[in-house]
């Protein structure tokens, strides 16, 4: 997406995350936490529960980032946030 907007990026990320599981936990976008810096979108995400392995979570998020780049031409960094720090701000 050459001319991506915040909303189009959030839609694409949410669509890619809808089937993502880390163990039994799902991963969601943290509401309103998106920023564009130097041509890259930074999107805060959180698992529904703290995974046993952050390594596995990071690998899954890297796969989603690569898919967004290859299929949608979106340069996105998914930034994991601890679910205990997010509270009710999940979309």
């Amino acid at each position: 997406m050459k001319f991506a907007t915040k909303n189009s990026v959030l839609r694409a990320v949410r669509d890619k995350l809808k089937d993502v599981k880390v163990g039994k936990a799902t991963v969601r976008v943290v509401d309103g936490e998106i920023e564009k810096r130097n041509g890259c979108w930074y999107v805060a995400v959180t698992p529904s529960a703290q995974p046993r392995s952050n390594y596995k979570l990071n690998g899954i998020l890297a796969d989603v980032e690569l898919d967004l780049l290859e299929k949608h031409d979106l340069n996105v960094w998914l930034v994991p946030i601890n679910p205990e720090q997010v509270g009710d701000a999940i979309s």
Side-chain angles (χ1 to χ4, degrees), residues 1-3 5-6 9 14 16 18-19 24 28 37 40 42-43 50 52 60 65-66 72 79 81 83:
M1 286 184 189
K2 191 172 185 177
F3 300 104
T5 64
K6 283 185 178 184
V9 172
R14 285 184 180 121
K16 293 295 178 190
K18 70 181 177 189
D19 297 321
K24 294 181 181 180
R28 297 184 179 189
R37 284 185 264 148
C40 182
Y42 292 81
V43 181
Q50 187 63 36
R52 287 184 181 198
I60 290 169
E65 293 166 352
L66 183 60
H72 299 282
V79 182
I81 305 295

Side-chain angles (χ1 to χ4, degrees), residues 37-55:
R37 284 185 264 148
N38 300 323
C40 182
W41 292 95
Y42 292 81
V43 181
V45 298
T46 189
S48 59
Q50 187 63 36
R52 287 184 181 198
S53 170
N54 284 329
Y55 180 78

Side-chain angles (χ1 to χ4, degrees), residues 48-81:
S48 59
Q50 187 63 36
R52 287 184 181 198
S53 170
N54 284 329
Y55 180 78
K56 185 172 183 176
L57 172 63
N58 291 334
I60 290 169
L61 295 179
D63 289 343
V64 172
E65 293 166 352
L66 183 60
D67 191 59
L68 288 166
L69 181 60
E70 290 177 346
K71 294 183 180 171
H72 299 282
D73 196 29
L74 283 174
N75 190 6
V76 175
W77 285 92
L78 301 176
V79 182
I81 305 295

Side-chain angles (χ1 to χ4, degrees), residues 12-26:
V13 171
R14 285 184 180 121
D15 185 54
K16 293 295 178 190
L17 291 177
K18 70 181 177 189
D19 297 321
V20 168
K21 295 239 186 215
V22 183
K24 294 181 181 180
T26 58

